[in-house]
Amino acid sequence: MAQIIPEMSPAAATIFRNIQYVFLDRDGVLNRKAPEGAYITRPEDLELLPGAGDAIARINRFRQKAIVVTNQRAIALGLCTDNDLYRIHETLCSLLSAHDAHLDAIYYCPHDYGQCNCRKPKTGMFEQAFRDFRNANTSNSVMIGDSPTDVEAGWRLGMRTILIGEQCDWHLDAEFVKPDASAESLLDCVERLLGFATP
């Protein structure tokens, strides 16, 4: 029996037409952020945000790619290692799996400020993803994050951008961090803006 896909809202159909690759920040989008000035350095510190698992599952069901791009300065500060981060991401994938959800790739920047071309708002992680996913490009991708640096990274590449979370009005007067849309949560974003409602 043919699966009936619900129609996307007119606004989302116009702004976010043909999205096939969903780029996501990690902390504050998929999982709860550490307190100000602190970092998630152990698997047991990781806690999925409400609705995040369902949101990724919906992206998966619509056969779009879910790709994490995350700054992880804790490595540069010596607070955790690459192996620690690998274990944290194993936990993240396990928590998502409980919701029948999966990530297609995770890219991270381990560097401190000014040391690389991959730390957002620079674009190195995205450029690597575009090399790895040959069909991905700026016209069929969207960046979803909870900070102006996430939006600026997408803006630099010409990608569409969505800013989510309680502080989704940060610096929206500044042209370079102005997102195409804002949402209360990742689940709100994939349902209302991207049109990935439950088939």
Side-chain angles (χ1 to χ4, degrees):
M1 183 175 180
Q3 188 179 59
I4 299 174
I5 305 297
E7 290 185 6
M8 190 179 293
S9 70
T14 300
I15 301 173
F16 299 107
R17 181 182 290 120
N18 298 328
I19 292 297
Q20 299 175 38
Y21 296 85
V22 181
F23 286 83
L24 306 147
D25 183 38
R26 194 193 78 180
D27 301 332
V29 175
L30 291 174
N31 59 274
R32 201 172 301 281
K33 276 189 169 181
E36 186 67 28
Y39 298 88
I40 294 172
T41 58
R42 305 175 304 165
E44 52 266 37
D45 295 334
L46 195 84
E47 178 187 356
L48 277 187
L49 285 168
D54 190 23
I56 298 300
R58 295 181 189 210
I59 293 171
N60 298 155
R61 285 198 295 270
F62 276 74
R63 299 184 180 180
Q64 316 308 317
K65 301 297 185 185
I67 302 170
V68 167
V69 282
T70 177
N71 292 342
Q72 292 299 320
R73 185 173 177 245
I75 295 175
L77 296 177
L79 300 176
C80 71
T81 65
D82 291 90
N83 188 58
D84 293 330
L85 186 62
Y86 178 81
R87 292 173 54 240
I88 290 167
H89 287 159
E90 277 191 321
T91 298
L92 174 61
C93 291
S94 178
L95 292 172
L96 290 173
S97 179
H99 296 268
D100 293 322
H102 70 269
L103 299 171
D104 293 281
I106 300 175
Y107 297 89
Y108 69 92
C109 169
H111 305 112
D112 209 339
Y113 300 107
Q115 293 182 342
C116 64
N117 71 343
C118 55
R119 181 179 174 83
K120 292 176 295 183
K122 293 186 178 179
T123 59
M125 287 187 285
F126 298 85
E127 291 163 5
Q128 182 60 55
F130 289 149
R131 288 191 291 269
D132 294 340
F133 292 87
R134 297 298 180 88
N135 293 325
N137 56 61
T138 58
S139 65
N140 63 12
S141 301
V142 63
M143 174 62 204
I144 303 172
D146 71 324
S147 75
T149 55
D150 297 321
V151 174
E152 185 181 350
W155 174 85
R156 289 183 177 195
L157 287 164
M159 294 170 61
R160 284 156 288 183
T161 58
I162 301 172
L163 190 62
I164 70 169
E166 295 178 357
Q167 296 170 308
C168 64
D169 60 345
W170 282 357
H171 305 297
L172 297 190
D173 57 320
E175 185 65 28
F176 71 92
V177 294
K178 190 170 183 179
D180 293 296
S182 61
E184 293 181 359
S185 67
L186 181 58
L187 185 57
D188 173 45
C189 173
V190 301
E191 284 187 328
R192 182 173 57 84
L193 297 172
L194 300 185
F196 301 155
T198 303

